[in-house]
Amino acid sequence: EIPGLRRAYQACVRSKKRCDGERFVLATALLGAQRPESHREATKLYREGADGDSLCALGQCYQLGTGTAVDDDLAVAYYRRAAELGHAQAHYALGALYYVGDGAVDEDEEAAVAHFALAAEHR
């Protein structure tokens, strides 16, 4: 339930703690709401995070145009930032992009395999 998740996130913020988990869960729930305004709010929340989950999710938002305009360059940039933190899903996404040469990266089988291997290593 989004209202309860929102209250939990706001309570965490008021406590001056790191709220990466609460922010991510709320943002992900908002994406499931299937309303454009909820998608925009989710993207805003992901932007506030510096953790791998939020960065990877933001990459997906830019790749798919969820809550924001499609921007392949930003999608790759956020996937790379998440991958630098050891995020398996971000490595997988980069591997898939390199494998087909989709968006902001050229086809590069060697880079694709390297990212897939890192995804498996970090899972």
Side-chain angles (χ1 to χ4, degrees):
E1 107 203 13
I2 291 174
L5 295 172
R6 190 181 306 280
R7 284 190 300 275
Y9 172 64
Q10 290 167 340
C12 182
V13 169
R14 283 191 301 275
S15 73
K16 308 272 193 231
K17 295 180 185 174
R18 282 192 63 184
C19 302
D20 294 336
E22 291 84 353
R23 181 186 309 107
F24 178 78
V25 169
L26 173 58
T28 302
L30 287 165
L31 284 183
Q34 300 301 315
R35 295 190 331 260
E37 63 275 8
S38 295
H39 291 177
R40 286 188 294 276
E41 184 180 358
T43 302
K44 178 183 176 289
L45 287 167
Y46 288 141
R47 274 192 205 100
E48 293 173 7
D51 59 295
D53 288 334
S54 293
L55 295 169
C56 184
L58 193 52
Q60 290 174 331
C61 288
Y62 278 109
Q63 184 180 11
L64 302 173
T66 305
T68 187
V70 171
D71 188 323
D72 293 332
D73 291 325
L74 279 175
V76 169
Y78 280 110
Y79 285 142
R80 284 184 176 142
R81 286 180 55 196
E84 288 170 3
L85 297 174
H87 197 274
Q89 187 176 349
H91 278 296
Y92 181 83
L94 286 168
L97 290 172
Y98 277 113
Y99 188 74
V100 296
D102 188 30
V105 298
D106 293 328
E107 185 177 327
D108 184 338
E109 188 173 327
E110 187 175 316
V113 170
H115 279 290
F116 288 142
L118 287 166
E121 182 180 311
H122 291 293
R123 63 180 178 97

